[in-house]
Amino acid sequence: MSFRWPNGARLAMSIVVNVEEGAEMSIARGDKGPEPVDELGVSLKIPIRNYGNESNYDYGIRAGAPRVLKLLDRYGFKVTFTAAATALEQAPELAKAIAEGGHEACSHGWRWIHQFSYGEERERDFVKKAIASIEATTGTRPHGWLSRYMHTPFLRKTLAEEGFVYHMDDYSDDVPRWDVVETARGPKPIVIMPYALDTNDMKFWLAPGYTPQQWLDYAIATFEQLYEEGAEAPRMMSLGLHLRIIGRPGRIWALDRFMAHVASRPDVWVTSRLDMARHFAAEVPPPA
């Protein structure tokens, strides 16, 4: 596979801001149990509300989002917001900021819940509701999809049939690639945009948890390795963020330092995953 990034860039830098706050599991939203992902690791197995964890998610919208948006504006970086659709419904100011900032709104599901147990038609309805919701809140339909980690074996077929440009539930490479899926109208190509877990700020929450300095050091080391390799072949780096995690005052400085490091290097293309996917599709013909 031979292609280059625009203007001879050595590295395409993909910053992914996950917006899940307000779309997570909750007894108040009719779910069978409370959200199990908690900074304290408190995973309740009984159907009661976890008010403390709900407020921790609220923090992402109230305090975390303004800090992240301020940094993006300072550095002029165009990024991808992977948003659970109902989260943006409840945070219209954030949806407006995403659109006005020229950022991409990628679908992170209709809600931030598991879909891997769905049948094909139920999952298709889930996808369609996400499309309609994100288009209503941001003015643009989503062209990319990220599940809550796991999905069904027929999701990619559904995405291709529903007009998605790319799918990012993949961790297998540092460059995009094509996949061809069988649809009701025959084979159809879709771009696979690999994501990364090792540079994700969830590392602050997972044992053994990173300190902000450790996360920064790891992110910069990843960037430098891919930047070096990019002199010979195209590379892409993914940095996954969460408003309620990186948006904390004791962590946001690490993102600032990382962005400054990226900005200091020439020949780096910082843009949305949709821009990267479309460029790749224009450069590399899909398989026959």
Side-chain angles (χ1 to χ4, degrees):
M1 179 174 61
S2 177
F3 76 99
R4 297 299 302 179
W5 296 121
N7 302 314
R10 297 171 59 155
L11 179 64
M13 181 68 230
S14 170
I15 296 174
V16 176
V17 183
N18 292 271
V19 184
E20 300 155 351
E21 295 83 356
E24 76 278 5
M25 292 177 61
S26 171
I27 296 295
R29 299 187 185 96
D31 297 311
K32 294 180 180 180
E35 175 55 51
V37 177
D38 185 326
E39 181 155 10
L40 291 177
V42 177
S43 182
L44 299 175
K45 307 298 183 183
I46 53 178
I48 63 171
R49 290 185 67 177
N50 185 340
Y51 291 98
N53 197 31
E54 288 178 20
S55 68
N56 194 28
Y57 277 72
D58 290 341
Y59 185 93
I61 300 299
R62 295 174 184 272
R67 292 188 179 112
V68 171
L69 289 167
K70 184 177 180 180
L71 285 184
L72 294 177
D73 183 62
R74 180 190 303 170
Y75 289 99
F77 286 173
K78 182 178 179 182
V79 307
T80 295
F81 281 80
T82 49
T86 59
L88 292 185
E89 290 178 10
Q90 297 177 65
E93 290 302 312
L94 176 56
K96 181 180 178 182
I98 291 170
E100 292 183 348
H103 304 297
E104 176 199 1
C106 168
S107 179
H108 198 10
W110 177 57
R111 286 188 58 202
W112 192 54
I113 55 178
H114 290 298
Q115 65 191 74
F116 60 83
S117 64
Y118 290 179
E120 185 169 0
E121 289 310 308
R122 185 182 180 191
E123 188 175 59
R124 185 180 297 274
D125 180 65
F126 190 73
V127 170
K128 286 184 173 181
K129 287 194 291 188
I131 295 172
S133 175
I134 291 174
E135 186 167 19
T137 55
T138 68
T140 306
R141 67 148 287 170
H143 294 283
W145 184 276
L146 174 67
S147 305
R148 182 171 173 168
Y149 193 64
M150 298 175 68
H151 58 83
T152 71
F154 30 77
L155 172 64
R156 196 166 290 174
K157 167 181 174 288
T158 297
L159 296 179
E161 290 176 342
E162 296 298 330
F164 281 78
V165 174
Y166 72 89
H167 184 202
M168 58 182 283
D169 287 311
D170 185 277
Y171 309 90
S172 65
D173 211 338
D174 298 309
V175 287
R177 70 173 188 278
W178 284 108
D179 188 21
V180 179
V181 294
E182 289 294 333
T183 73
R185 296 185 178 182
K188 189 168 184 178
I190 186 170
V191 178
I192 306 305
M193 293 289 291
Y195 194 29
L197 299 177
D198 58 322
T199 50
N200 197 293
D201 69 359
M202 281 296 294
K203 289 292 187 178
F204 290 123
W205 280 20
L206 301 175
Y210 286 0
T211 66
Q213 187 64 58
Q214 289 170 330
W215 179 80
L216 174 62
D217 290 345
Y218 190 91
I220 289 177
T222 302
F223 176 89
E224 285 300 312
Q225 179 65 34
L226 293 171
Y227 185 79
E228 180 180 343
E229 293 177 6
E232 298 181 356
R235 290 291 183 268
M236 176 183 75
M237 178 179 171
S238 298
L239 188 83
L241 308 171
H242 297 77
L243 300 173
R244 64 189 180 278
I245 301 178
I246 200 66
R248 289 282 175 176
R251 297 170 180 150
I252 193 69
W253 68 268
L255 179 59
D256 189 357
R257 299 274 181 87
F258 179 77
M259 288 183 171
H261 185 83
V262 171
S264 73
R265 290 290 190 269
D267 303 324
V268 177
W269 187 33
V270 184
T271 193
S272 70
R273 298 177 82 79
L274 179 59
D275 282 352
M276 294 178 194
R278 284 175 168 165
H279 177 81
F280 171 81
E283 290 277 309
V284 180

